[in-house]
Amino acid sequence: MSSELQQIMVESTERIFSDTVDKKLLDAVESGEFPQQLWKLICENGFHLLATTDSGADLADAFAVLRVAGRYAVPIPLAEVLLGNRWLDGSDDNLISIGERSGDRTLTVPWAQQAARCLAVTPDNRVFEISDYQSTSGRNIAFEPRDTLSGNFTEIKTDDDAYELMALSRLSLASGALNRVLELTIQYVGEREQFGRPIAKFQAVQHNLAVAAAEVAAATRACDGAVEAIGEERFVLEVAAGKGRVGEAITVVTEIVHQLHGAMGFTHEHQLHHFTRRLWSWREEFGGESYWQSRLGHHLHSLGADSVWDFIASAK
Amino acid sequence: MLQFDPVQLPDSSHALRDEIRQFLAANMPSGHRPNSDFLSGHNPQFSELLGTHGYICMNIPVEYGGGGRSFFDRYVVAEELLAAGAPVSAHWFSDRQFAPVLMQIGTEQQRKKYLPDMCAGKSYFSIGMSEPNSGSDLAAIRTSATKVDGGWRVNGTKLWTTYAHLNHYMIALVRTAPVSENRHHGMSQLLIDLHDDSVDIRPIKNMGGDEDFNEVVFNDTYVPDEDVIGEIGNGWNQCTAELGYERSGSERFLSTFRVYIEFLKLFTDPPNDLQAAAIGRIASNIMALRRMSLSVVGMLEAGKMPSIEAALVKELGNNFEKIMPEIARLAAPLDADKTEFNRTYRESILLSPSTTLRGGTREILRGVIARGLGLR
């Protein structure tokens, strides 16, 4: 898909998510209610099939949509649905979920109870469908359902770098959410007054936001780099670099935006935590910073000190 | 909001990169100990050699002696020189900002007079902004230029002027009108010959024992009208625009790159996972910074003046190049021979206080970014 079409698609997703995903919905989902209306809307617009091989869109388009989903903390396992339909050649409105396989169990499967089919991926990029499973329910830091399944595994053939695409989904979502929390904070410090003026006027506040903005920009570009490398030999390494760098940004930015929101942002009534708690979850899912940084580091060591610059400079 | 659009290097840059690497393999000055800081090697012979091969002012039109190529090509050459630790200080300011400034706001006469030697790697410029009582508060400068017949008489002192004792010219920000209600009014940029008898230059030794910056005193120094850069009274805006060139390049995050290379060389045995994570963490930071820097190059190439985005690259890059040697030091294998690592590490830590000062302090940059975010 051309960048112009991608832009149109991003704008239309943006419209739908901004109209439908609000604090009320996020709270309802957090209390255990599956967002049926939102799911229906996603299916009606065909977003769930965007990553299938005959959709006419590129994988990059699907990840552009995931950034938007991150911006609104869309409480649907959209990444799982997109990639699940791709790997299962899906064409209907079944909910598909995906977790990470660890031995004979599959961990952190979103909404397994609601899903029609569940998949598991391994760090060596194999994909399995799980059948006849038993599930233990759990939740991530954002209180989103993340179940643990054990059952029968049947391997599904795909040429995709499945695990790395799942990791990329987390860094795309995070890139979107990081931009959003920065915007929310800029807005808040302009409205909140202390000592007779908006706290945005205080240099300490300005400097902390500048630091956060720099981290958000770095995360955005790190995500770009990984998306641009889809299908290329260095994809895994760009994902590794991206997941590591975005993880670092999440640590810095979530701390600053909460600090600047004061006690208000620490309340459940405020919307900020719907984003920050997801960021903390996505940072860990499908490999945390140290996992990906060490994969990149081992690779760079194997290249040798004199080839590391060439690796860095060979990014497109 | 700040904009860092995705940018990809043009295909032409690949061949250029191979070419400059071959050049460096053959021509790195003998006895030069590589260091990636852009101010760590003032070597006119090497700069002239680069000029002869067309590696300076690549983005300046051919008719003025430049390469007639893009900002991207200049970027590729610059980052290869820094990564290899080549001595680039002599021509750096000419190449990075003053040649583009002359192209942008210089007169035809100025371009014809100065650009050919700048492009040839023979003419070196210094930045004339800071003064004894004007550091971060640039509008507080006192160096003044008084109108005389056919030109200006300059009096005052510039401080921290890097390589003024070795370079040929300074482009100085001076007051051409007294301070008025708007402090940013009444300033102008003049091109000053540093070899003039009326200019006293005194090197200042830094904490690492090197003498690269100076105090420069002007005693009734005469500057002809034809050496006024841009418009009289517009100096502040011109300086601000110049910062897009000055703050966004790879020298803002590669200053300590050689430490990373020597760090990697310490691992004769494979690193453990935590050491590998340190190796990967450093690379992932450089990769993200480089993409941000390239976004700014894209804006420069498109004729924009991205001074806020450039400030952000510098802020993030300076902080990284300070912490990077520490990540490496703490993750280094305990039993390795650290002779070369220690050499680069020591140079870096002795330099480190300056990186978040030169070219705009961290505090000023954060203020610029905050303005870009609409906070002030």
Side-chain angles (χ1 to χ4, degrees), chain A residues 182 186 189 200-201 206-207 209-211 213-215 217-218 221 224-225 228 238 241 245 248 290 293-294 296-298 300-301 305-306 308-313 315-316, chain B residues 1 4 6-8 17 21 79-80 83 257 260-261 264-265 267 269-271 273 276-277 280-281 283-285 287 290-292 295 312 316 363 366 369-370 373 375-376:
Chain A
L182 177 66
I186 289 169
V189 299
K201 297 298 163 201
Q206 294 176 353
H207 285 198
L209 262 174
V211 171
E215 289 294 317
R221 295 298 282 127
D224 291 342
E228 284 162 14
E238 291 287 352
R245 187 61 188 84
E248 284 191 66
S290 38
Q293 286 166 346
S294 67
L296 177 60
H298 283 303
L300 294 177
H301 176 261
D306 292 329
V308 166
W309 170 252
D310 184 56
F311 169 79
I312 291 170
K316 279 203 297 182
Chain B
M1 285 297 279
F4 284 89
V7 156
Q8 296 195 350
R17 193 181 296 283
R21 283 183 187 171
E79 71 172 357
E80 288 294 328
F257 184 71
Y260 185 43
I261 298 300
L264 283 159
K265 285 184 180 167
F267 292 97
D269 294 325
D273 284 346
R281 181 182 171 195
S284 67
N285 272 274
M287 289 159 78
R290 185 169 173 273
R291 284 208 170 81
M292 296 166 72
S295 294
L312 191 140
L316 197 67
E363 290 69 22
R366 288 184 181 172
I369 298 164
L373 296 174
L375 300 176
R376 36 194 308 196

Coordinates of all heavy atoms in Angstrom, one line a residue, chain A residues 182 186 189 200-201 206-207 209-211 213-215 217-218 221 224-225 228 238 241 245 248 290 293-294 296-298 300-301 305-306 308-313 315-316, chain B residues 1 4 6-8 17 21 79-80 83 257 260-261 264-265 267 269-271 273 276-277 280-281 283-285 287 290-292 295 312 316 363 366 369-370 373 375-376:
Chain A
L182 N 2.6 11.7 26.2 CA 3.3 13.0 26.1 C 2.3 14.1 25.8 O 2.3 15.2 26.5 CB 4.4 12.9 25.0 CG 5.1 14.2 24.8 CD1 6.0 14.6 26.0 CD2 6.0 14.1 23.5
I186 N 1.4 17.3 28.2 CA 1.6 18.7 27.7 C 0.3 19.5 28.0 O 0.3 20.6 28.4 CB 1.9 18.7 26.2 CG1 3.4 18.2 26.0 CG2 1.8 20.2 25.6 CD1 3.8 18.0 24.6
V189 N -0.2 20.1 31.9 CA 0.6 21.1 32.6 C 0.2 22.5 32.1 O 0.5 23.5 32.8 CB 2.1 20.8 32.4 CG1 2.5 19.5 33.0 CG2 2.5 21.0 31.0
A200 N 3.1 24.5 33.6 CA 4.0 24.5 32.3 C 5.0 25.6 32.3 O 6.0 25.6 31.6 CB 3.1 24.6 31.1
K201 N 4.7 26.7 33.1 CA 5.6 27.8 33.1 C 6.9 27.6 34.0 O 7.8 28.5 34.0 CB 4.9 29.1 33.6 CG 3.7 29.5 32.6 CD 4.2 29.8 31.2 CE 3.1 29.8 30.2 NZ 3.6 29.6 28.8
Q206 N 9.2 22.2 32.5 CA 9.6 22.2 31.1 C 10.7 21.3 30.8 O 10.7 20.5 29.8 CB 10.0 23.6 30.7 CG 8.9 24.6 30.8 CD 9.3 26.1 30.5 OE1 10.5 26.3 30.4 NE2 8.4 27.0 30.4
H207 N 11.7 21.2 31.6 CA 12.9 20.4 31.4 C 12.6 18.9 31.4 O 13.0 18.1 30.6 CB 14.0 20.8 32.3 CG 14.7 22.1 31.9 ND1 15.9 22.4 32.4 CD2 14.3 23.1 31.1 CE1 16.3 23.6 31.8 NE2 15.2 24.0 31.1
L209 N 9.7 17.6 30.7 CA 8.9 17.3 29.5 C 9.8 17.3 28.3 O 9.6 16.5 27.4 CB 7.8 18.3 29.3 CG 6.4 17.8 29.8 CD1 5.4 19.0 29.7 CD2 6.0 16.6 29.1
A210 N 10.9 18.1 28.3 CA 11.8 18.0 27.2 C 12.5 16.7 27.1 O 12.7 16.1 26.1 CB 12.8 19.1 27.3
V211 N 12.9 16.2 28.3 CA 13.5 14.8 28.4 C 12.5 13.8 27.9 O 12.9 12.9 27.1 CB 13.9 14.5 29.8 CG1 14.4 13.1 30.0 CG2 15.0 15.5 30.3
A213 N 10.0 14.2 25.8 CA 9.8 14.4 24.4 C 10.9 13.7 23.6 O 10.7 13.1 22.5 CB 9.6 15.8 24.0
A214 N 12.1 13.9 24.1 CA 13.3 13.3 23.4 C 13.2 11.8 23.4 O 13.5 11.1 22.4 CB 14.6 13.8 24.0
E215 N 12.8 11.2 24.5 CA 12.6 9.8 24.6 C 11.5 9.3 23.6 O 11.6 8.2 23.0 CB 12.3 9.3 26.0 CG 13.5 9.5 27.0 CD 14.6 8.5 26.6 OE1 14.3 7.3 26.3 OE2 15.8 8.9 26.7
A217 N 10.5 10.7 20.9 CA 11.0 10.8 19.5 C 11.9 9.6 19.2 O 11.9 9.0 18.1 CB 11.7 12.1 19.3
A218 N 12.8 9.3 20.2 CA 13.7 8.1 19.9 C 12.9 6.8 19.8 O 13.2 6.0 18.9 CB 14.7 8.0 21.1
R221 N 11.3 6.7 16.3 CA 12.2 6.4 15.2 C 12.7 4.9 15.3 O 13.0 4.3 14.3 CB 13.3 7.4 15.2 CG 12.9 8.8 14.8 CD 12.3 8.9 13.5 NE 13.3 8.9 12.4 CZ 13.3 8.1 11.3 NH1 12.4 7.2 11.2 NH2 14.2 8.2 10.4
D224 N 10.0 3.0 13.8 CA 10.1 3.1 12.3 C 11.2 2.1 11.7 O 10.9 1.5 10.7 CB 10.6 4.5 11.9 CG 9.6 5.6 12.2 OD1 8.4 5.3 12.4 OD2 10.0 6.8 12.3
G225 N 12.3 2.1 12.4 CA 13.4 1.3 11.9 C 13.0 -0.2 11.8 O 13.4 -0.9 10.8
E228 N 10.4 -0.7 9.0 CA 11.0 -0.6 7.7 C 11.8 -1.8 7.3 O 12.0 -2.1 6.1 CB 12.0 0.7 7.6 CG 11.2 2.0 7.5 CD 12.1 3.2 7.8 OE1 13.3 3.0 7.9 OE2 11.5 4.3 8.1
E238 N 16.8 -5.3 14.0 CA 16.1 -4.0 14.2 C 15.0 -4.1 15.2 O 14.7 -3.2 16.0 CB 15.5 -3.6 12.8 CG 16.5 -3.2 11.8 CD 17.3 -1.8 12.1 OE1 16.8 -1.1 13.0 OE2 18.2 -1.6 11.4
A241 N 16.8 -4.1 18.5 CA 17.2 -2.7 18.9 C 16.0 -1.9 19.3 O 16.0 -1.1 20.2 CB 18.0 -2.0 17.7
R245 N 15.3 -0.2 22.8 CA 15.2 1.2 22.9 C 13.9 1.8 23.4 O 13.8 2.7 24.2 CB 15.6 1.9 21.6 CG 15.8 3.4 21.7 CD 16.9 3.8 22.6 NE 17.0 5.2 22.9 CZ 16.3 5.8 23.8 NH1 15.4 5.2 24.6 NH2 16.5 7.1 24.1
E248 N 13.6 1.3 27.1 CA 14.2 2.3 27.9 C 13.4 3.6 27.9 O 13.3 4.3 28.9 CB 15.6 2.7 27.2 CG 16.7 1.7 27.5 CD 18.1 2.2 27.0 OE1 18.5 3.2 27.6 OE2 18.6 1.7 26.1
S290 N 16.3 -6.7 28.3 CA 17.6 -7.4 28.4 C 17.6 -8.6 27.4 O 18.6 -8.9 26.9 CB 17.9 -7.8 29.8 OG 16.7 -8.2 30.5
Q293 N 18.2 -6.9 24.0 CA 19.5 -6.2 23.9 C 20.6 -7.3 23.9 O 21.6 -7.1 23.2 CB 19.7 -5.3 25.2 CG 19.0 -4.0 25.1 CD 18.9 -3.3 26.4 OE1 19.2 -3.9 27.5 NE2 18.4 -2.1 26.4
S294 N 20.5 -8.4 24.6 CA 21.5 -9.4 24.6 C 21.5 -10.2 23.3 O 22.6 -10.5 22.8 CB 21.4 -10.3 25.8 OG 20.2 -11.1 25.7
L296 N 20.9 -8.8 20.4 CA 21.6 -7.9 19.5 C 23.1 -7.9 19.9 O 23.9 -8.0 19.0 CB 21.0 -6.5 19.7 CG 21.7 -5.4 18.8 CD1 21.6 -5.7 17.4 CD2 21.0 -4.0 19.1
G297 N 23.4 -7.9 21.2 CA 24.8 -7.8 21.6 C 25.6 -9.0 21.2 O 26.7 -8.9 20.8
H298 N 25.0 -10.2 21.4 CA 25.7 -11.4 21.0 C 25.9 -11.4 19.5 O 27.0 -11.8 19.0 CB 24.8 -12.7 21.4 CG 24.9 -13.0 22.8 ND1 26.1 -13.3 23.5 CD2 23.9 -13.2 23.7 CE1 25.8 -13.6 24.7 NE2 24.5 -13.5 24.9
L300 N 26.3 -8.8 17.5 CA 27.3 -7.8 17.2 C 28.7 -8.3 17.6 O 29.7 -8.1 16.9 CB 27.0 -6.4 18.0 CG 25.8 -5.7 17.5 CD1 25.5 -4.5 18.3 CD2 25.9 -5.4 16.0
H301 N 28.8 -9.0 18.7 CA 30.0 -9.6 19.1 C 30.5 -10.6 18.1 O 31.7 -10.7 17.7 CB 29.9 -10.3 20.5 CG 31.2 -11.0 20.9 ND1 31.4 -12.3 20.7 CD2 32.4 -10.5 21.4 CE1 32.6 -12.6 21.1 NE2 33.2 -11.5 21.5
A305 N 34.4 -6.4 16.4 CA 34.4 -5.0 16.7 C 34.5 -4.1 15.4 O 33.9 -3.0 15.3 CB 35.5 -4.6 17.7
D306 N 35.3 -4.6 14.5 CA 35.5 -3.8 13.3 C 34.3 -3.7 12.3 O 34.3 -3.0 11.3 CB 36.8 -4.2 12.6 CG 38.0 -3.9 13.4 OD1 38.0 -2.9 14.2 OD2 39.0 -4.7 13.3
V308 N 31.0 -3.6 13.5 CA 29.8 -3.0 14.2 C 29.4 -1.7 13.6 O 28.2 -1.5 13.4 CB 30.1 -2.9 15.7 CG1 29.0 -2.1 16.4 CG2 30.1 -4.3 16.3
W309 N 30.3 -0.9 13.3 CA 29.9 0.4 12.6 C 29.2 0.1 11.3 O 28.1 0.8 11.0 CB 31.1 1.4 12.4 CG 30.6 2.5 11.6 CD1 31.0 2.8 10.3 CD2 29.7 3.5 12.0 NE1 30.3 3.9 9.9 CE2 29.5 4.4 10.9 CE3 29.0 3.8 13.2 CZ2 28.6 5.5 10.9 CZ3 28.1 4.9 13.2 CH2 28.0 5.7 12.1
D310 N 29.7 -0.8 10.5 CA 29.1 -1.1 9.3 C 27.6 -1.6 9.5 O 26.7 -1.2 8.8 CB 29.8 -2.2 8.5 CG 29.2 -2.4 7.1 OD1 29.1 -1.4 6.4 OD2 28.9 -3.6 6.8
F311 N 27.4 -2.4 10.5 CA 26.1 -2.8 10.8 C 25.2 -1.6 11.1 O 24.1 -1.5 10.6 CB 26.1 -3.8 12.0 CG 24.7 -4.1 12.5 CD1 23.9 -5.0 11.9 CD2 24.2 -3.4 13.6 CE1 22.6 -5.2 12.3 CE2 22.9 -3.6 14.1 CZ 22.1 -4.5 13.4
I312 N 25.6 -0.7 12.0 CA 24.8 0.4 12.4 C 24.5 1.3 11.1 O 23.4 1.7 10.9 CB 25.6 1.3 13.4 CG1 25.6 0.5 14.7 CG2 24.9 2.6 13.6 CD1 26.5 1.1 15.8
A313 N 25.6 1.5 10.3 CA 25.4 2.4 9.2 C 24.6 1.8 8.0 O 24.3 2.5 7.1 CB 26.8 2.9 8.7
A315 N 21.8 0.5 8.2 CA 20.3 0.6 8.3 C 19.9 1.5 7.1 O 20.6 2.4 6.7 CB 20.0 1.3 9.6
K316 N 18.7 1.2 6.6 CA 18.2 1.9 5.4 C 18.0 3.4 5.7 O 17.6 3.8 6.7 CB 16.9 1.3 4.9 CG 17.1 0.1 4.1 CD 15.8 -0.2 3.2 CE 14.6 -0.4 4.0 NZ 13.4 -0.7 3.2
Chain B
M1 N 3.7 20.1 17.6 CA 4.6 19.0 18.1 C 5.8 18.9 17.2 O 5.8 19.3 16.1 CB 3.7 17.7 18.1 CG 2.7 17.6 19.2 SD 3.5 17.6 20.8 CE 4.0 15.9 21.0
F4 N 9.6 14.1 13.5 CA 10.8 13.4 13.0 C 10.3 12.3 12.0 O 10.0 11.2 12.3 CB 11.5 12.6 14.2 CG 12.3 13.6 15.0 CD1 11.7 14.2 16.1 CD2 13.6 13.8 14.8 CE1 12.4 15.1 16.9 CE2 14.3 14.7 15.5 CZ 13.7 15.3 16.6
P6 N 10.2 9.7 8.9 CA 11.1 8.7 8.4 C 11.8 9.2 7.2 O 11.2 9.8 6.3 CB 10.1 7.5 8.0 CG 8.9 7.7 8.8 CD 8.8 9.2 9.0
V7 N 13.1 8.8 7.1 CA 13.9 9.3 6.0 C 14.8 8.1 5.6 O 15.3 7.4 6.5 CB 14.8 10.5 6.4 CG1 16.0 10.6 5.6 CG2 14.0 11.7 6.4
Q8 N 15.0 7.9 4.4 CA 16.0 6.8 4.0 C 17.1 7.5 3.1 O 16.8 8.4 2.3 CB 15.3 5.7 3.2 CG 14.2 5.0 4.0 CD 13.8 3.7 3.5 OE1 14.0 3.4 2.3 NE2 13.0 3.0 4.3
R17 N 29.8 5.7 0.6 CA 30.3 5.2 1.8 C 31.5 4.2 1.6 O 32.5 4.3 2.3 CB 29.1 4.4 2.5 CG 29.4 4.1 4.0 CD 28.2 3.3 4.6 NE 27.0 4.1 4.7 CZ 26.8 5.0 5.6 NH1 27.7 5.3 6.5 NH2 25.6 5.6 5.6
R21 N 35.4 5.0 2.9 CA 36.0 3.9 3.7 C 37.4 3.5 3.1 O 38.4 3.4 3.8 CB 35.2 2.7 3.9 CG 34.1 3.0 4.9 CD 33.2 1.7 5.1 NE 32.1 2.1 5.9 CZ 31.0 1.3 6.2 NH1 31.0 0.1 5.7 NH2 30.1 1.7 6.9
E79 N 29.8 11.1 9.1 CA 29.6 10.0 10.1 C 30.7 9.0 9.9 O 31.2 8.4 10.9 CB 28.2 9.4 10.1 CG 27.9 8.6 8.9 CD 26.5 7.8 9.1 OE1 25.9 7.9 10.1 OE2 26.1 7.1 8.1
E80 N 31.1 8.7 8.7 CA 32.2 7.8 8.4 C 33.5 8.3 9.0 O 34.3 7.6 9.6 CB 32.4 7.5 6.9 CG 31.2 6.6 6.4 CD 31.2 5.2 6.9 OE1 32.3 4.6 7.3 OE2 30.1 4.6 7.1
A83 N 33.2 8.0 12.9 CA 33.3 6.6 13.3 C 34.7 6.0 13.2 O 35.1 5.2 14.0 CB 32.3 5.7 12.5
F257 N 32.4 7.2 20.5 CA 32.2 6.0 19.8 C 33.4 5.0 19.9 O 33.2 3.8 19.9 CB 31.8 6.2 18.3 CG 31.5 5.0 17.5 CD1 30.3 4.3 17.7 CD2 32.4 4.5 16.6 CE1 30.0 3.1 17.0 CE2 32.1 3.3 15.9 CZ 30.9 2.7 16.1
Y260 N 33.4 2.5 22.5 CA 32.5 1.3 22.2 C 33.3 0.2 21.4 O 33.3 -0.9 21.8 CB 31.3 1.8 21.4 CG 30.3 0.7 21.1 CD1 29.9 -0.2 22.1 CD2 29.6 0.6 19.9 CE1 28.9 -1.1 21.9 CE2 28.7 -0.3 19.6 CZ 28.3 -1.2 20.6 OH 27.3 -2.1 20.4
I261 N 34.1 0.7 20.5 CA 34.9 -0.2 19.6 C 35.9 -0.9 20.5 O 36.0 -2.2 20.5 CB 35.6 0.5 18.5 CG1 34.5 1.1 17.5 CG2 36.5 -0.4 17.7 CD1 33.6 0.2 16.9
L264 N 34.2 -3.5 22.7 CA 33.9 -4.7 22.0 C 35.2 -5.6 21.8 O 35.1 -6.8 21.9 CB 33.3 -4.4 20.6 CG 31.9 -4.0 20.7 CD1 31.5 -3.2 19.4 CD2 31.0 -5.2 20.8
K265 N 36.3 -4.9 21.6 CA 37.6 -5.7 21.4 C 38.0 -6.4 22.7 O 38.9 -7.3 22.7 CB 38.7 -4.7 21.0 CG 38.5 -4.3 19.5 CD 39.7 -3.5 19.1 CE 39.5 -3.1 17.6 NZ 40.4 -2.0 17.2
F267 N 36.3 -8.4 24.4 CA 35.7 -9.7 24.5 C 36.4 -10.7 23.6 O 35.9 -11.0 22.5 CB 34.2 -9.6 24.2 CG 33.4 -8.8 25.3 CD1 33.2 -7.5 25.1 CD2 33.1 -9.4 26.4 CE1 32.5 -6.7 26.0 CE2 32.4 -8.7 27.4 CZ 32.1 -7.3 27.2
D269 N 36.7 -13.7 24.7 CA 35.7 -14.8 24.9 C 34.3 -14.2 24.7 O 34.1 -13.0 24.9 CB 35.8 -15.3 26.3 CG 37.2 -16.0 26.5 OD1 37.6 -16.7 25.6 OD2 37.7 -15.9 27.6
P270 N 33.4 -15.0 24.3 CA 32.0 -14.5 24.2 C 31.5 -13.8 25.4 O 31.8 -14.2 26.5 CB 31.2 -15.7 23.9 CG 32.1 -16.7 23.3 CD 33.4 -16.4 24.0
P271 N 30.8 -12.7 25.3 CA 30.2 -12.0 26.5 C 29.1 -12.8 27.1 O 28.5 -13.6 26.4 CB 29.6 -10.7 25.9 CG 29.4 -11.0 24.4 CD 30.4 -12.0 24.0
D273 N 25.3 -12.9 29.0 CA 24.1 -12.3 28.5 C 24.0 -10.8 29.0 O 23.5 -9.9 28.3 CB 22.8 -13.0 29.0 CG 22.6 -14.3 28.2 OD1 23.2 -14.4 27.1 OD2 21.8 -15.1 28.6
A276 N 26.4 -8.8 26.9 CA 25.8 -8.7 25.6 C 24.7 -7.7 25.6 O 24.6 -6.9 24.6 CB 25.3 -10.1 25.1
A277 N 23.9 -7.6 26.7 CA 22.9 -6.6 26.7 C 23.4 -5.2 26.8 O 22.9 -4.3 26.2 CB 22.0 -6.9 28.0
G280 N 24.4 -4.5 23.2 CA 23.1 -4.3 22.4 C 22.5 -2.9 22.8 O 22.0 -2.2 21.9
R281 N 22.5 -2.6 24.1 CA 21.9 -1.4 24.5 C 22.6 -0.2 23.9 O 21.9 0.8 23.4 CB 22.0 -1.3 26.0 CG 21.3 0.0 26.6 CD 21.5 0.1 28.1 NE 21.0 1.3 28.6 CZ 21.3 1.8 29.8 NH1 22.0 1.1 30.6 NH2 20.9 3.0 30.1
A283 N 24.3 -0.1 21.1 CA 24.0 -0.1 19.6 C 22.6 0.5 19.4 O 22.4 1.3 18.5 CB 24.2 -1.4 19.0
S284 N 21.6 0.0 20.2 CA 20.2 0.4 19.9 C 20.1 1.9 20.1 O 19.3 2.5 19.4 CB 19.3 -0.4 20.8 OG 19.4 -0.1 22.1
N285 N 20.8 2.4 21.1 CA 20.7 3.9 21.3 C 21.3 4.7 20.1 O 20.8 5.7 19.6 CB 21.4 4.3 22.6 CG 20.5 4.2 23.8 OD1 19.8 5.1 24.1 ND2 20.5 3.0 24.4
M287 N 21.5 3.6 17.1 CA 20.7 3.4 15.9 C 19.5 4.4 15.9 O 19.1 5.0 14.9 CB 20.2 2.0 15.8 CG 21.3 1.0 15.4 SD 21.0 -0.7 15.9 CE 19.9 -1.2 14.6
R290 N 20.7 8.0 15.3 CA 21.1 8.2 13.9 C 19.8 8.4 13.1 O 19.8 9.2 12.2 CB 21.9 7.0 13.5 CG 22.4 7.1 12.1 CD 23.4 6.0 11.8 NE 23.8 6.0 10.4 CZ 23.2 5.4 9.4 NH1 22.1 4.8 9.7 NH2 23.6 5.6 8.2
R291 N 18.8 7.6 13.4 CA 17.5 7.8 12.6 C 17.0 9.2 12.9 O 16.4 9.9 11.9 CB 16.5 6.8 13.0 CG 16.8 5.4 12.4 CD 15.6 4.6 12.2 NE 15.9 3.4 11.4 CZ 16.5 2.4 11.9 NH1 16.7 2.3 13.2 NH2 16.9 1.4 11.2
M292 N 17.0 9.7 14.1 CA 16.5 11.0 14.4 C 17.4 12.1 13.7 O 16.8 13.0 13.1 CB 16.6 11.3 15.9 CG 15.7 10.3 16.7 SD 16.1 10.4 18.4 CE 15.4 12.0 18.8
S295 N 16.5 12.3 10.1 CA 15.2 13.0 9.9 C 15.5 14.5 9.8 O 14.9 15.2 9.0 CB 14.2 12.8 11.1 OG 13.8 11.4 11.2
L312 N 16.8 18.8 20.0 CA 16.4 17.5 20.6 C 17.4 16.4 20.4 O 17.8 15.6 21.2 CB 15.0 17.2 20.2 CG 14.3 16.1 20.9 CD1 12.9 16.4 21.1 CD2 14.5 14.8 20.1
L316 N 19.5 14.6 23.5 CA 19.5 13.2 23.7 C 20.9 12.6 23.4 O 21.4 11.7 24.1 CB 18.4 12.6 22.7 CG 18.0 11.2 23.1 CD1 17.2 11.1 24.4 CD2 17.1 10.6 21.9
E363 N 20.7 22.9 29.5 CA 19.6 23.7 30.1 C 18.9 24.5 29.0 O 17.7 24.7 28.9 CB 20.1 24.6 31.2 CG 20.5 23.8 32.5 CD 21.7 22.9 32.4 OE1 22.6 23.2 31.5 OE2 21.9 22.0 33.1
R366 N 17.0 22.2 26.6 CA 15.7 21.8 27.1 C 14.7 22.9 27.0 O 13.5 22.7 26.8 CB 15.9 21.2 28.5 CG 16.6 19.9 28.6 CD 16.7 19.3 29.9 NE 17.4 18.0 29.8 CZ 17.8 17.3 30.8 NH1 17.6 17.7 32.1 NH2 18.4 16.1 30.6
I369 N 13.5 23.0 23.4 CA 12.5 21.9 23.2 C 11.2 22.2 23.8 O 10.1 22.0 23.2 CB 13.1 20.5 23.7 CG1 14.4 20.2 23.0 CG2 12.1 19.4 23.6 CD1 15.2 19.1 23.8
A370 N 11.2 22.7 25.0 CA 10.0 23.1 25.7 C 9.2 24.1 24.9 O 8.0 24.0 24.8 CB 10.3 23.6 27.1
L373 N 7.5 22.4 22.2 CA 6.3 21.7 22.7 C 5.1 22.6 23.1 O 4.1 22.2 23.5 CB 6.7 20.9 24.0 CG 7.7 19.7 23.8 CD1 8.1 19.1 25.1 CD2 7.2 18.7 22.8
L375 N 5.2 25.0 25.5 CA 5.1 25.2 26.9 C 5.5 26.7 27.3 O 5.3 27.1 28.4 CB 6.0 24.3 27.7 CG 5.7 22.8 27.5 CD1 6.7 21.9 28.2 CD2 4.3 22.5 28.0
R376 N 6.2 27.4 26.4 CA 6.6 28.7 26.7 C 6.5 29.7 25.5 O 6.1 29.3 24.5 CB 8.1 28.8 27.2 CG 9.0 27.8 26.5 CD 10.3 27.7 27.3 NE 11.0 28.9 27.6 CZ 12.2 29.0 27.9 NH1 13.0 27.9 28.0 NH2 12.8 30.2 28.2

